[in-house]
């Protein structure tokens, strides 16, 4: 796996919604389509995704397998970097010409469903063209919104704490399942005092981590209608963030910004940071140390609030070939040979058949698989928090405003007020 893709993967968490948030999408209707059928009955469907060149090479190999199995279905492909993908998709959808099938993410399901863009795949399941059996850890429910199947998972990931093993060892810190936030705070100070390095890169701009913290405390970042927490809640969270930077247990935000796109951990500014488990490969590729995955801290020593997230495949409501789209998705999520080609490029394979088909040989991917297995074994996984229409805009605002707070250009009170102001606008139905 190349560095370019792994850098891009990290930016997905931080950039989600950054550009799409500013783009208006005109409503489309379920008519017409952009696929084609030749005189001999051969159907052509368009498939689009975001990613780098190495992902494209892998996907093209899987498409060759699909076309061999389904010689009457041809697949025309298109891929872009993450932000460019959503720019182009928005333009296509606004013009009534989105790709027949495309890569998608949870933050965009309600957004594009509200714009009448997404195909409800449940009818294709009933018709036998798409199977939702054999998914791991409840992932078959991941793309269900309001009784509609709007996306099918291709892989899974979960939030984790990526650590520099050598620094943690020198500090005598050994995180274990069930450690608390108090334990985490003590560990950050111990790392600072014994190694001279900040314990963490600064975690308070990561919306998905804050969601886990809220879930541990009986709340959530989102409800189906909007935000699931108060200004007082966020004030507490961001007050701790500012204090952590001032005390040196979190990395200097200005230095973190200077080393981007390199991570603060691999740049040796911090000993750890919270991110998605399948991003781990990038640290090994750009850093000099040995990196590992540690559990999410808890409030009560038990509940982490975690779930398995996933990239998905969705269909266009305008497609003229819903059957072929469903057959394509079915092949991509179930065929064992696809897993052998894709590996963990889009996360740990979502179906058991593909999970069993690909056994990583490198230590980093072995650790990712072991981490997700440990979550299942520990019984901490729960259903994902619903994401309302406008969630992508909220995520973008959360990241940007938290960074301004970290850099000292906003006070906590001002940052909280600004976030809620922008979110109320974004989440108006």
């Amino acid at each position: 796996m190349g560095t370019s893709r792994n850098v891009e993967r990290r930016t997905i968490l931080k950039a989600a919604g950054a550009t799409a948030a500013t783009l208006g999408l005109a409503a489309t209707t379920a008519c017409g389509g952009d696929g084609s059928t030749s005189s001999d009955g051969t159907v052509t469907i368009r498939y689009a995704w975001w990613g780098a060149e190495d992902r494209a090479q892998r996907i093209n190999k899987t498409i060759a397998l699909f076309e061999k199995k389904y010689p009457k279905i041809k697949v025309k492909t298109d891929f872009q970097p993450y932000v460019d993908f959503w720019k182009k998709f928005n333009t296509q959808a606004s013009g009534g010409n989105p790709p027949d099938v495309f890569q998608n993410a949870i933050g965009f399901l309600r957004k594009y469903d509200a714009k009448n863009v997404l195909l409800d795949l449940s009818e294709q399941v009933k018709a036998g063209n798409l199977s939702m059996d054999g998914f791991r850890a409840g992932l078959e429910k991941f793309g269900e919104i309001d009784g509609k199947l709007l996306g099918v998972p291709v892989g899974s990931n979960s939030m984790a704490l990526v650590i520099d093993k050598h620094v943690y060892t020198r500090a005598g810190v050994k995180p274990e399942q069930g450690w608390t936030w108090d334990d985490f705070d003590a560990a950050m100070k111990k790392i600072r005092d014994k190694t001279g390095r900040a314990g963490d890169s600064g975690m308070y701009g990561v919306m998905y981590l804050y969601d886990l913290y809220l879930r541990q405390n009986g709340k959530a970042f989102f409800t189906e209608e909007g935000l699931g927490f108060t200004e007082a809640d966020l004030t507490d969270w961001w007050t701790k963030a500012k204090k952590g930077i001032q005390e040196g247990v979190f990395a200097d935000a200005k230095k973190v910004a200077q080393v981007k796109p390199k991570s603060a951990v691999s740049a040796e500014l911090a000993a750890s940071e919270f991110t998605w488990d399948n991003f781990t490969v990038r640290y090994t590729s750009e850093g000099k140390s040995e990196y590992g995955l540690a559990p999410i801290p808890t409030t009560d020593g038990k509940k982490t609030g975690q779930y398995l997230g996933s990239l998905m495949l969705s269909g266009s409501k305008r497609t003229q070939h819903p059957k072929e789209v469903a057959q394509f998705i079915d092949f991509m999520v179930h065929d064992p040979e696809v897993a052998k080609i894709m590996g963990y490029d889009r996360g740990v394979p979502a179906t058991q058949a593909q999970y069993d088909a690909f056994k990583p040989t490198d230590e980093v991917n072995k650790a990712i698989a072991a981490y997700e297995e440990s979550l299942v074994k520990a019984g901490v996984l729960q259903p994902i928090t619903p994401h309302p229409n406008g969630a992508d805009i909220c995520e973008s605002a959360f990241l940007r405003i938290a960074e301004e707070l970290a850099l000292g250009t906003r006070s906590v009170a001002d940052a909280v007020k600004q976030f809620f102001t922008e979110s109320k606008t974004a989440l108006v139905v």
Side-chain angles (χ1 to χ4, degrees):
M1 297 183 179
T3 303
S4 60
R5 186 189 70 250
N6 293 313
V7 170
E8 181 188 41
R9 278 177 164 181
R10 183 170 179 266
T11 64
I12 289 174
L13 176 64
K14 298 185 180 294
T19 298
T22 64
L23 301 174
L25 179 64
T28 59
T29 55
C31 61
D34 51 31
S36 62
T37 305
S38 66
S39 58
D40 67 354
T42 299
V43 166
T44 299
I45 59 174
R46 291 165 50 216
Y47 172 34
W49 68 90
W50 66 80
E53 179 62 37
D54 53 348
R55 175 176 291 178
Q57 292 173 0
R58 292 173 186 265
I59 288 179
N60 285 334
K61 290 179 181 178
T62 67
I63 289 172
L65 289 180
F66 173 77
E67 291 180 338
K68 184 176 180 180
K69 182 175 180 179
Y70 293 94
K72 291 292 186 180
I73 306 176
K74 302 301 179 184
V75 183
K76 183 178 180 181
T77 64
D78 183 28
F79 74 98
Q80 309 283 336
Y82 179 80
V83 173
D84 292 340
F85 171 89
W86 288 111
K87 283 182 180 179
K88 185 172 183 178
F89 182 84
N90 184 81
T91 299
Q92 291 172 327
S94 296
N97 190 38
D100 296 273
V101 60
F102 53 94
Q103 191 169 284
N104 206 350
I106 188 69
F108 297 95
L109 290 186
R110 289 186 186 275
K111 177 186 182 79
Y112 287 111
D113 182 45
K115 305 299 183 182
N116 210 23
V117 171
L118 302 181
L119 176 68
D120 182 0
L121 290 160
S122 58
E123 292 302 315
Q124 295 302 317
V125 175
K126 294 176 184 177
N129 298 319
L130 171 62
S131 173
M132 294 304 293
D133 296 331
F135 282 81
R136 299 171 41 248
L139 281 168
E140 69 278 0
K141 300 291 185 182
F142 191 76
E144 290 187 3
I145 298 291
D146 301 330
K148 294 178 284 189
L149 180 60
L150 302 179
V152 179
V154 294
S156 70
N157 54 16
S158 191
M159 290 297 296
L161 179 66
V162 175
I163 66 171
D164 184 321
K165 288 185 176 181
H166 296 311
V167 177
Y168 266 64
T169 298
R170 291 206 313 270
V173 174
K174 187 178 180 181
E176 296 179 344
Q177 191 75 41
W179 69 327
T180 66
W181 287 105
D182 287 340
D183 296 331
F184 173 80
D185 292 340
M188 297 300 99
K189 293 176 182 177
K190 195 172 183 181
I191 290 169
R192 177 201 61 190
D193 295 342
K194 291 199 170 187
T195 71
R197 191 179 299 186
D200 192 86
S201 65
M203 60 194 189
Y204 292 89
V206 185
M207 185 192 84
Y208 293 99
L209 177 67
Y210 186 41
D211 183 34
L212 299 191
Y213 179 80
L214 290 167
R215 286 159 63 96
Q216 292 176 15
N217 290 278
K219 297 186 178 184
F221 198 100
F222 292 120
T223 67
E224 291 186 10
E225 291 79 27
L227 298 177
F229 60 99
T230 66
E231 293 188 20
D233 294 327
L234 185 55
T235 298
D236 289 343
W237 183 253
W238 276 346
T239 297
K240 285 187 66 178
K242 190 169 184 177
K243 183 180 179 183
I245 293 172
Q246 292 169 342
E247 294 180 348
V249 294
F250 299 142
D252 184 321
K254 293 180 181 178
K255 292 181 179 179
V256 172
Q258 289 170 356
V259 301
K260 288 181 180 180
K262 196 172 187 178
S263 77
V265 174
S266 54
E268 301 183 356
L269 296 175
S272 56
E273 69 180 10
F274 291 93
T275 188
W276 297 105
D277 58 17
N278 65 313
F279 290 10
T280 312
V281 179
R282 70 81 57 109
Y283 298 91
T284 301
S285 66
E286 69 182 22
K288 299 177 181 178
S289 190
E290 183 181 359
Y291 308 97
L293 294 167
I296 297 294
T298 68
T299 299
D300 61 2
K302 297 178 182 179
K303 185 178 180 181
T304 67
Q306 282 172 279
Y307 49 82
L308 291 183
S310 180
L311 291 179
M312 293 173 282
L313 295 180
S314 292
S316 164
K317 200 168 188 179
R318 278 184 171 267
T319 183
Q320 295 179 357
H321 307 294
K323 176 183 177 180
E324 289 78 8
V325 164
Q327 290 173 323
F328 177 79
I329 294 175
D330 185 84
F331 181 85
M332 290 299 169
V333 300
H334 290 289
D335 189 271
E337 295 303 314
V338 169
K340 294 177 183 178
I341 294 171
M342 295 303 302
Y344 288 178
D345 179 270
R346 296 176 296 190
V348 179
T351 57
Q352 193 66 44
Q354 290 195 340
Y355 181 82
D356 293 339
F358 176 73
K359 296 299 182 183
T361 57
D362 64 288
E363 293 304 314
V364 175
N365 280 309
K366 282 182 180 179
I368 295 171
Y371 178 74
E372 292 201 6
E373 288 175 355
S374 74
L375 298 180
V376 175
K377 185 177 181 180
V380 298
L381 295 174
Q382 300 174 322
I384 189 173
T385 303
H387 283 53
N389 182 14
D392 57 322
I393 302 175
C394 293
E395 181 179 354
S396 175
F398 192 82
L399 169 65
R400 171 175 45 78
I401 295 168
E403 186 170 27
E404 292 168 353
L405 172 65
L407 291 171
T409 59
R410 284 188 186 273
S411 66
V412 171
D414 182 47
V416 170
K417 181 179 179 180
Q418 184 65 29
F419 173 75
F420 272 79
T421 297
E422 293 188 27
S423 295
K424 286 177 182 178
T425 300
L427 297 172
V428 172
V429 179

